[in-house]
Amino acid sequence: MNIQSAINRAVFAPRDERMLVAVEVKRRKRKRVPFLPTGGKGEYMTYICLSVTNKRPAQLLITKVKQFGGSAPFTRRSQWAVEQLRQVNGINPNKDCPEFDLVFDNAFDQWVASSAPEKCIFIQIMYHACQTYWEGKEGVPGSPSVDQQKGQRAQGGQGSPGAQGGQGSPGAQVGQIGGPVAQARRKSTVGLRPHHTEFVNCQSKLTGDACKMNLVLYRCKVFFNRMKKVMVSNQSRSQAGGPRAGPSGQRPPGGSMGSVVQRASQALQERGERLGRAEDKTVDLMHKAQQFADTAHKLALKYSN
């Protein structure tokens, strides 16, 4: 079971929520509280998670989850609704980078993801989840847009009898009185309309037409990066082991341990080279997919005109 499944099972499933994506992060600038002792609970890992409630109407939530000491349990630290998320800053719109900022109504966090592809996956899924959420909000009864349309229809129904009956008729007085009241209601309703989350300095490929292809490519890059880390750690442990002395203080005959380590390191090196070639092919495929998306977009614009 991977880390995202573990977080979903431990934190979100008991609260009747479903996690969409999670990214491991660290602060670019650590917050220092002078009156608290240093050290605390020791090392911990932080995850920024995006989840949605199973109950209707669905709510989109951003949650900060921590794992102290590398232990299995996860702790939910902070949670915000998407209405509180003012801005998502991708930092660099020209290339992949692990840094990003989240600006809430009452908080401003500067994060560094564990890798640039994981950050791109997180922002891409968050962008499309926000778009789907706000589009769903537009058509929900009781939302500001629906109430505004009802107010306009009500105003039109009250004003028509007055126009037919003349200036002195009761219908005209109702229309004159109801007009400013309806306008004031519409103004107050529009003023209470929640803002949409703003995405700035984000690459266009994260929000463009080729988003699904980019998501697959980023997932492949994340997988290759994890495989590289595992192989590098295994290689470092095997090299750190080295040949050990036997019970009588003598080295094992024939250098068997050294040959095993040498063969293992050689196999790891070959695998690393193959993964490097696969990553180069993945990057090449990503560029070709981007060119294909640009060409398809130009053709669509050409034939639409």
Side-chain angles (χ1 to χ4, degrees):
M1 184 171 57
N2 58 12
I3 191 68
Q4 296 200 18
S5 300
I7 295 175
N8 186 36
R9 177 178 295 183
V11 178
F12 297 101
R15 302 175 62 87
D16 198 19
E17 298 176 15
R18 177 171 55 90
M19 191 182 71
L20 302 178
V21 65
V23 58
E24 181 184 347
V25 295
K26 291 183 179 180
R27 291 190 182 275
R28 297 209 303 273
K29 297 179 180 179
R30 284 192 170 273
K31 293 182 178 180
R32 295 183 178 181
V33 184
F35 54 82
L36 290 180
T38 58
K41 296 185 178 181
E43 294 297 328
Y44 59 87
M45 302 176 70
T46 305
Y47 300 91
I48 302 297
C49 308
L50 181 68
S51 63
V52 62
T53 58
N54 294 324
K55 295 181 179 179
R56 298 294 179 181
Q59 295 293 323
L60 194 61
L61 305 171
I62 299 97
T63 308
K64 181 166 63 177
V65 176
K66 290 190 177 182
Q67 183 184 22
F68 291 94
S71 57
F74 298 92
T75 305
R76 187 175 68 94
R77 304 294 291 181
S78 305
Q79 191 172 62
W80 299 271
V82 72
E83 288 83 359
Q84 298 175 280
L85 181 60
R86 293 283 182 181
Q87 187 184 90
V88 178
N89 192 341
I91 303 301
N92 194 333
N94 299 320
K95 67 176 183 178
D96 296 343
C97 65
E99 296 85 4
F100 67 98
D101 296 342
L102 297 179
V103 182
F104 298 95
D105 289 337
N106 56 354
F108 173 62
D109 293 328
Q110 297 177 321
W111 299 110
V112 179
S114 57
S115 65
E118 293 188 17
K119 170 244 184 173
C120 293
I121 291 175
F122 178 77
I123 289 185
Q124 185 172 352
I125 294 178
M126 174 179 281
Y127 174 81
H128 291 284
C130 289
Q131 296 297 314
T132 304
Y133 177 78
W134 291 118
E135 288 175 1
K137 276 286 188 181
E138 294 292 335
V140 174
S143 63
S145 59
V146 176
D147 291 343
Q148 183 176 356
Q149 295 175 1
K150 290 182 178 179
Q152 292 176 354
R153 289 196 297 267
Q155 182 186 7
Q158 290 179 357
S160 57
Q164 296 175 1
Q167 295 181 355
S169 62
Q173 295 178 0
V174 173
Q176 293 174 358
I177 297 175
V181 174
Q183 291 179 1
R185 288 179 179 176
R186 288 201 304 274
K187 289 182 179 179
S188 62
T189 306
V190 172
L192 295 175
R193 181 174 181 174
H195 61 84
H196 291 195
T197 304
E198 182 184 13
F199 287 78
V200 298
N201 296 327
C202 296
Q203 294 172 284
S204 59
K205 62 183 179 182
L206 301 181
T207 58
D209 297 333
C211 58
K212 292 184 179 179
M213 178 62 70
N214 290 326
L215 186 60
V216 173
L217 294 176
Y218 281 128
R219 290 189 186 277
C220 292
K221 293 183 72 173
V222 169
F223 174 75
F224 290 143
N225 289 335
R226 290 177 180 173
M227 290 296 296
K228 277 187 176 180
K229 290 180 181 179
V230 170
M231 287 191 297
V232 169
S233 62
N234 291 339
Q235 186 176 5
S236 61
R237 283 199 297 266
S238 62
Q239 291 178 354
R244 297 182 180 178
S248 59
Q250 299 178 353
R251 299 284 179 180
S256 59
M257 182 62 70
S259 62
V260 170
V261 172
Q262 185 177 2
R263 288 196 300 269
S265 61
Q266 185 177 359
L268 288 173
Q269 185 176 1
E270 293 176 356
R271 290 181 183 178
E273 293 176 356
R274 288 197 295 269
L275 284 175
R277 291 193 294 269
E279 185 176 1
D280 294 337
K281 291 181 180 179
T282 302
V283 174
D284 186 35
L285 180 62
M286 183 176 63
H287 289 312
K288 290 182 179 179
Q290 185 66 38
Q291 293 175 359
F292 178 77
D294 295 338
T295 304
H297 185 63
K298 291 178 181 177
L299 288 175
L301 292 177
K302 178 180 178 180
Y303 287 105
S304 63
N305 295 330

